[in-house]
């Protein structure tokens, strides 16, 4: 019976591997192998048209010591991330709290508010955003109507960057839905008890809502931070692939693309990709490390 049992177990294992083989093959072909290849290319001089030439750490040395445009892209990206992500999460939480009602039309409102996240990363929306913020766009027409000086969004590097940040804030739908699910999970008895003790709206929000939502905030913060570092399409479309004006919208991912596919410095672009991977990994680790100070779990007695 033992040989038969072994054969039967082996057959079941082979059947299982056969079912998951498409994922394994795809994971190896489109994830692991490209990652290892890019690591090798980061130590080479490779222009896409000739064989890679090993140059050691020359690409990394150039990144840190001989490319001011690289450091400018880092600065622009950090402003974009550290300004856009908190505003996006705050706006998402605000809308989630407004939608956390028993209104009959709340389902429609949720769908409408989530819609920008479905189409927000598309080329068409980036083009639309460019037209909205044009010199004769609706934003400047509104500013003129209110008596506020118009802004030349495509002539001022700082204004152009804030235009991208506003677009990222507009794509708050996914975070909003996650916040909304978290709000639904908070027992109303907490708020009722706080109201009986005389707590006002701000106190209930600060002492109940935020602590109870802190694990959700952590999740959204990590996911949105990683997503912000990878932003490419809006910057590419709005700046017409240049990062202008005056490199004001030169996000890290856009400069990486330009180095790899416009300047054909694929080895240099691979080095940039690995620096980003390491930095985002360190930043994510830092967020998780500091989360011990502000994330509270009911299963841990309030911690």
């Amino acid at each position: 019976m033992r040989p038969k049992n072994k054969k039967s177990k082996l057959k079941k294992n082979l059947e299982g591997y056969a079912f998951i083989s498409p994922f394994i093959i795809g994971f190896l072909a489109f994830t692991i192998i490209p990652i290892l290849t890019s690591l090798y290319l980061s130590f080479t001089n490779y222009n896409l048209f000739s064989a890679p030439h090993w140059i050691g750490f020359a690409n990394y040395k150039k990144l840190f010591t001989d490319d001011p445009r690289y450091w400018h892209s880092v600065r622009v990206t950090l402003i974009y991330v550290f300004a856009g992500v908190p505003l996006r999460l705050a706006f998402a939480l605000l809308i989630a709290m407004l939608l956390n009602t028993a209104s009959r039309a709340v389902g429609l409102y949720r769908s409408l508010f989530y819609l920008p996240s479905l189409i927000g990363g598309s080329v068409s929306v980036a083009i639309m955003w460019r037209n909205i913020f044009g010199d004769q766009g609706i934003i400047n027409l509104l500013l003129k109507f209110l008596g506020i000086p118009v802004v030349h969004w495509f002539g001022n590097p700082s204004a152009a960057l804030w235009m991208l940040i506003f677009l990222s804030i507009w794509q708050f739908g996914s975070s909003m839905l996650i916040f909304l699910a978290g709000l639904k999970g908070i027992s109303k008895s907490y708020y009722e008890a706080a109201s009986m003790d005389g707590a006002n709206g701000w106190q209930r929000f600060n002492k109940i809502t935020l602590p109870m939502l802190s694990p959700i905030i952590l999740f959204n913060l990590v996911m949105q931070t990683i997503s912000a570092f990878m932003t490419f399409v809006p910057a590419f479309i709005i700046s017409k692939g240049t990062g202008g004006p005056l490199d004001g919208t030169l996000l890290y991912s856009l400069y990486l693309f330009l180095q790899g596919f416009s300047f054909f410095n694929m080895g240099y672009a691979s080095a940039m990709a690995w620096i980003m991977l390491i930095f985002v990994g360190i930043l994510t680790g830092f967020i998780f490390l500091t989360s011990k100070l502000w994330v509270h779990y009911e299963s841990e007695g309030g911690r």
Side-chain angles (χ1 to χ4, degrees), residues 52-253:
H53 175 65
W54 183 268
I55 56 174
F57 288 93
N59 286 325
Y60 293 94
K61 182 179 179 181
K62 181 180 177 181
L63 278 174
F64 292 110
T65 62
D66 194 29
D67 190 355
R69 201 179 184 199
Y70 168 78
W71 286 108
H72 180 76
S73 72
V74 171
R75 184 179 70 84
V76 170
T77 304
L78 291 178
I79 294 174
Y80 175 81
V81 172
F82 290 115
V85 171
L87 290 174
R88 185 176 185 174
L89 293 182
F91 196 62
L93 178 56
L94 174 63
I95 300 299
M97 293 183 67
L98 293 176
L99 293 179
N100 189 30
T101 63
S103 172
R104 291 183 177 181
V106 70
L108 175 62
Y109 295 147
R110 292 172 187 170
S111 301
L112 292 176
F113 279 117
Y114 184 67
L115 188 61
S117 293
L118 294 177
I119 62 175
S122 66
V123 173
S124 59
V125 169
I127 295 174
M128 179 195 71
W129 208 255
R130 181 180 175 86
N131 293 331
I132 288 176
F133 283 86
D135 289 342
Q136 301 300 321
I138 189 173
I139 298 298
N140 276 339
L141 291 178
L142 180 60
L143 293 177
K144 187 182 297 185
F145 176 78
L146 296 175
I148 302 174
V150 299
V151 179
H152 299 289
W153 299 95
F154 298 102
N156 186 319
S158 297
L161 179 57
W162 274 101
M163 180 172 53
L164 286 180
I165 293 173
F166 291 149
L167 177 56
S168 73
I169 296 172
W170 184 63
Q171 303 167 19
F172 63 89
S174 59
S175 300
M176 177 203 69
L177 287 182
I178 296 173
F179 278 136
L180 189 57
L183 289 171
K184 293 292 184 182
I186 301 177
S187 175
K188 293 182 180 180
S189 61
Y190 295 132
Y191 296 104
E192 293 172 356
S195 297
M196 292 178 64
D197 288 338
N200 57 34
W202 169 250
Q203 290 172 328
R204 293 195 297 271
F205 174 76
N206 191 41
K207 298 298 184 180
I208 299 176
T209 304
L210 285 182
M212 296 294 290
L213 275 184
S214 57
I216 306 297
I217 295 174
L218 173 63
F219 175 81
N220 272 334
L221 177 63
V222 171
M223 298 304 294
Q224 295 302 324
T225 299
I226 295 173
S227 176
F229 273 104
M230 296 190 298
T231 301
F232 169 74
V233 172
F236 181 84
I237 298 300
I238 290 175
S239 69
K240 297 183 178 179
T242 64
L246 300 176
D247 288 344
T249 59
L250 188 66
L251 297 182
Y252 196 103
S253 57

